Amino acid sequence: MGAALGASRARVVAERRSPLGGAEAAAFAALLERRRLREPVAYLLGEREFWSLDLAVDGRVLVPRPETERLVEVALETIQRAPTLPGARPWRVADVGTGSGAVAIAIAASAPPGSRGLVVATDRSRDALLVARANVERHRGECHWPVLAVRADLLSAMAPASLDLVVSNPPYLSPSEMASLAPELRFEPAGALAGGDDDGLGVVRSLVGQAASVLVPGGFLAFEIGAGQGAAALGLFGPETWRDPAIVRDIEGRDRVVVARRDPLA
Ligand SMILES: C[S@@+](CC[C@H](N)C(=O)[O-])C[C@H]1O[C@@H](n2cnc3c(N)ncnc32)[C@H](O)[C@@H]1O
């Protein structure tokens, strides 16, 4: 109702007995009808809050999920452990599959004071990048580090050993999960959901393979997974390249984020 009236929640409550004008009633009915067809509320409003940032969202991008904030926490903890890198060089971070830009902007906005860095936000969807760029622009003033949105397939645009941290919330749904999606998810871009391979980890496999070469020795990789994918995801890290692969659980105790470090000597 607030969206239909262009009014705050408080005003809607305060004026709940006022009759609606014809145009207002029509706008509200149109929103109700879209919701009846199970379109996500975030798309109806064109906004979703993530990491206390209001982000513009529409059908070109995934609606950022609260559980993805765990990935942001892991990234920030990693940076916090070494806010200053050897030689005082800036942190070079990539957010792969940035969608609305949620993860990249959250990291840049909450980077530790005094730290220096840059976040490159990549997506292979041109449409998604337009949304990401608009959100980067909107939050430029809150970001301590610059965010650059670049169209690329995974990490293909990155030079060898050029990144200190790769984060990603990649698509990871399996074909069987894609076949039984909740109605709301059918409004989201299929390319943001379908992970490829029978277990949904196709994109993740490519990501781990590419990260092994674009990370500096000792650099970090952190990505989101589905709750049932922890064991399979840990199996992707060969001991000749990776150190300390581990699962981080979300607030509900489900496997949510995988972290690993490129062998400092590899
Ligand atoms: C699950 S969504 C995540 C969006 C955003 N990071 C978030 O957490 O809300 C995955 C994103 O990855 C992008 N994507 C899928 N495959 C990709 C690829 N091979 N290279 C780059 N981006 C890809 C999709 O377009 C989509 O925007």
Side-chain angles (χ1 to χ4, degrees):
M1 178 68 83
L5 296 179
S8 68
R9 193 178 287 247
R11 205 185 112 200
V12 171
V13 174
E15 298 180 7
R16 63 190 176 282
R17 293 187 202 288
S18 313
L20 289 181
E24 292 166 337
F28 185 49
L31 286 177
L32 281 186
E33 177 58 9
R34 286 169 66 190
R35 184 64 195 125
R36 190 183 69 77
L37 297 172
R38 305 288 293 268
E39 189 170 345
V41 172
Y43 290 162
L44 303 189
L45 302 180
E47 291 246 325
R48 175 68 181 228
E49 186 184 311
F50 179 84
W51 199 258
S52 300
L53 300 159
D54 288 330
L55 298 173
V57 293
D58 59 34
R60 294 174 290 178
V61 294
L62 187 96
V63 177
R65 309 290 205 267
E67 53 267 30
T68 303
E69 294 186 350
R70 195 76 188 99
L71 178 65
V72 175
E73 286 170 354
V74 168
L76 291 171
E77 284 159 17
T78 303
I79 296 163
Q80 186 68 63
R81 281 199 298 274
T84 308
L85 289 174
R89 74 181 162 71
W91 274 86
R92 294 159 302 175
V93 179
D95 170 26
V96 177
T98 197
S100 62
V103 172
I105 297 169
I107 291 172
S110 294
S115 65
R116 295 199 311 130
L118 162 77
V119 186
V120 181
T122 77
D123 208 292
R124 75 171 171 191
S125 155
R126 189 189 304 269
D127 280 348
L129 270 187
L130 293 174
V131 179
R133 286 193 181 130
N135 280 319
V136 168
E137 202 46 51
R138 180 175 183 176
H139 291 288
R140 190 173 297 285
E142 291 139 90
C143 288
H144 307 302
W145 295 359
V147 180
L148 214 75
V150 175
R151 187 159 181 237
D153 188 0
L154 297 181
L155 292 159
S156 57
M158 309 295 169
S162 62
L163 296 169
D164 302 292
L165 169 63
V166 171
V167 297
S168 181
N169 174 17
Y172 53 71
L173 296 189
S174 67
S176 66
E177 288 168 320
M178 287 300 292
S180 55
L181 283 182
E184 278 78 3
L185 273 73
R186 295 185 199 284
F187 286 87
E188 297 190 277
L193 300 171
D197 291 356
D198 285 349
D199 58 0
L201 290 172
V203 174
V204 163
R205 282 190 179 84
S206 303
L207 178 70
V208 173
Q210 293 183 21
S213 63
V214 301
L215 281 171
V216 295
F220 296 89
L221 170 63
F223 58 87
E224 182 170 319
I225 52 166
Q229 293 174 325
L234 284 181
L236 302 177
F237 294 95
E240 65 291 346
T241 311
W242 296 99
R243 286 283 167 269
D244 311 322
I247 301 284
V248 180
R249 298 215 157 87
D250 64 20
I251 197 166
E252 293 180 38
R254 292 172 304 198
D255 291 355
R256 183 56 62 192
V257 174
V258 180
V259 276
R261 186 166 196 221
R262 184 177 169 189
D263 188 335
L265 305 174

